Amino acid sequence: MINFLDLKKINLKYQEEIENKLLQVFRSGWYLLGDELKNFEKNLSEYIGSKYAIGAANGLDALRLIFRAYIELGFMHPGDEVIVPSNTYIASILALSDNGLIPVLVEPDINTYNIDISKIKEKITSKTKAILIVHLQGRVIFSEELKKISQKYHLKIIEDNAQAIGAEWKNIKSGNLGDAAGFSFYPGKNLGAIGDAGAVTTNDKVLFETIKALGNYGSKEKYINIYKGLNSRLDEIQAAVLDVKLKYIDQENEARRNIANKFILGITNPKIILPENPSEEKEHVWHVFVIRTENRDELQQYLHNKGIHTIIHYPIPPHQQKAYKEMNNLTFPISEKIHKEVLSLPISSVLEEIEIETIIKALNEY
Ligand SMILES: *Cc1c(COP(=O)(O)O)cnc(C)c1O
């Protein structure tokens, strides 16, 4: 069986370094808000190029904290609108509705799967306060046009960078393109912890300080609470593991890129629509390799029978989820088509040459 993702194998590549760190943290007796977190925050902000990085308990919290901070700072109010792609993981939308903000969905571009920037303007109203871009599948979405729109209408640009750590747009890393960015280090992400973990990056000092306090009970000084905050901390164990793995993220992403290129060259079956390789290769870190086909479920079963495990990212678009009844009457034909047709192939730095060939051969024989 070719696994979709072999986390054990990925992490064992760094076994010695990680196990040494784990033992060190365990024996230190200090498990929260210590040196490991400080180091990781410093190294993450250096890597991204941002002034600040703040650890959070997970990626959803990282995004929730950003919007919560803008509300505390008076830039946004519950009932305000935020533009977000209709084709995203539910967490992007949850971060908004959790703060009483209204998600205003915009269709993606069918070729990049990312928000169609040309369709943003028509959705802007006097209540619009931000654009939440999602670098879906590991592919950066950004443009001069987007920057102009945000400046003209005084909108914040927030990045959901859960899937694209290490990607770059014109030599700027994703996570440093907008006003603030949320990261997820869920174990299956390109930079994965051994549990839940996340972070925020920003260049805005006031936002940084507000988020830092909000994630720690709304307090800057112990037992003095200035906001009704939450408890969302990145613990020392996760920070230590992430700090080890951060050193290798470019290598990991490069390995994914090589596999993506092999798939793109090797898969020639006309029934299968391949993802587009961006003209600048650094714009993509291939968190997932998503193909499209008309009879997706049939193809998934066929691959399963050949011992190839695939996953659907994602089967139901957010506006059709039961949790968002208020959006169930909306239609987003491009998103709906994507959700019906996509299938993610195994891609990770530990996929072996023979496995890559097996996947290509199976798809070409389909
Ligand atoms: C994984 C993910 C999140 C949420 O991250 P968690 O760490 O699981 O909370 C948010 N947005 C996107 C696009 C994701 O892929």
Side-chain angles (χ1 to χ4, degrees):
M1 188 78 193
I2 302 178
N3 288 322
F4 180 73
L5 184 62
D6 192 338
L7 283 178
K8 180 171 163 180
K9 206 165 167 188
I10 293 175
N11 285 328
L12 283 178
K13 281 171 44 175
Y14 314 113
Q15 177 171 17
E16 206 180 293
E17 258 186 289
I18 290 176
E19 287 183 356
N20 285 340
K21 274 284 184 183
L22 290 176
L23 199 61
Q24 189 191 316
V25 173
F26 169 63
R27 289 182 176 170
S28 76
W30 195 281
Y31 306 119
L32 282 168
L33 304 179
D35 288 341
E36 296 299 336
L37 178 63
K38 261 186 228 140
N39 277 338
F40 177 63
E41 287 176 337
K42 178 171 162 284
N43 292 331
L44 179 65
S45 62
E46 257 172 39
Y47 178 75
I48 297 300
S50 64
K51 283 198 188 128
Y52 309 103
I54 311 133
N58 56 64
L60 172 57
D61 272 7
L63 292 168
R64 285 170 71 205
L65 283 164
I66 294 169
F67 289 100
R68 186 69 180 274
Y70 278 125
I71 290 173
E72 291 291 353
L73 292 170
F75 283 111
M76 292 176 199
H77 301 277
D80 283 343
E81 295 170 0
V82 177
I83 296 203
V84 61
S86 51
N87 175 51
T88 184
Y89 182 53
I90 197 77
S92 320
I93 316 278
L94 285 170
L96 302 176
S97 54
D98 181 66
N99 279 300
L101 297 164
I102 314 292
V104 175
L105 307 186
V106 170
E107 284 266 58
D109 176 330
I110 188 102
N111 297 311
T112 66
Y113 301 102
N114 270 326
I115 194 166
D116 186 339
I117 291 171
S118 73
K119 290 181 180 158
I120 290 180
K121 256 192 193 158
E122 65 203 59
K123 297 288 182 97
I124 295 174
T125 72
S126 60
K127 292 208 150 219
T128 312
K129 291 294 157 63
I131 304 168
L132 173 56
I133 51 175
V134 183
H135 306 300
L136 202 71
Q137 304 178 359
R139 180 169 184 165
V140 167
I141 175 72
F142 206 75
S143 71
E144 294 297 341
E145 177 64 16
L146 179 70
K147 244 199 273 187
K148 272 192 209 135
I149 295 171
S150 76
Q151 281 159 1
K152 182 168 177 200
Y153 297 95
H154 307 289
L155 308 177
K156 301 284 180 199
I157 297 180
I158 312 303
E159 297 170 76
D160 180 338
N161 199 29
Q163 302 191 358
I165 186 167
E168 286 178 20
W169 183 81
K170 297 191 175 170
N171 294 321
I172 306 169
K173 286 233 158 63
S174 63
N176 203 24
L177 291 162
D179 294 281
F183 292 69
S184 166
F185 308 117
Y186 175 81
K189 298 285 157 77
N190 287 26
L191 177 61
I194 52 171
D196 275 317
V200 174
T201 54
T202 184
N203 292 308
D204 180 336
K205 185 158 189 266
V206 176
L207 190 75
F208 159 72
E209 285 169 351
T210 310
I211 290 173
K212 202 158 170 121
L214 277 171
N216 192 28
Y217 299 107
S219 139
K220 287 181 183 172
E221 238 179 288
K222 215 170 184 181
Y223 306 128
I224 301 180
N225 301 83
I226 42 182
Y227 309 113
K228 298 182 189 91
L230 43 145
N231 173 4
S232 184
R233 301 180 290 222
L234 174 59
D235 68 66
E236 292 287 286
I237 292 265
Q238 302 307 337
V241 171
L242 289 167
D243 203 43
V244 170
K245 291 180 74 179
L246 180 62
K247 290 186 291 191
Y248 305 104
I249 186 64
D250 286 343
Q251 249 168 268
E252 289 282 326
N253 286 341
E254 197 50 41
R256 286 169 183 270
R257 214 168 266 141
N258 284 334
I259 298 168
N261 284 329
K262 281 180 189 157
F263 282 155
I264 288 171
L265 279 176
I267 302 166
T268 52
N269 187 337
K271 287 203 221 81
I272 289 161
I273 300 166
L274 292 167
E276 187 191 82
N277 217 343
S279 52
E280 293 298 328
E281 64 165 23
K282 292 225 161 137
E283 287 182 14
H284 213 323
V285 294
W286 300 98
H287 172 56
V288 281
F289 188 95
V290 176
I291 59 173
R292 257 189 315 128
T293 190
E294 252 174 52
N295 299 310
R296 186 259 318 274
D297 295 346
E298 180 195 279
L299 176 61
Q300 186 172 39
Q301 186 59 47
Y302 163 85
L303 291 172
H304 177 83
N305 294 345
K306 297 228 159 195
I308 300 164
H309 182 213
T310 57
I311 291 185
I312 299 163
H313 295 105
Y314 304 93
I316 305 172
H319 71 278
Q320 293 182 333
Q321 297 284 359
K322 201 174 157 195
Y324 285 100
K325 283 200 196 71
E326 65 275 29
M327 301 202 285
N328 285 174
N329 62 330
L330 304 177
T331 50
F332 296 95
I334 300 171
S335 274
E336 286 157 30
K337 182 179 168 66
I338 289 172
H339 284 74
K340 257 190 230 110
E341 296 184 350
V342 289
L343 191 64
S344 302
L345 303 181
I347 185 168
S348 82
S349 62
V350 294
L351 205 61
E352 286 171 26
E353 200 55 46
I354 180 81
E355 295 176 315
I356 299 167
E357 280 163 25
T358 305
I359 294 166
I360 292 173
K361 186 160 174 282
L363 284 165
N364 286 340
E365 283 169 2
Y366 169 65

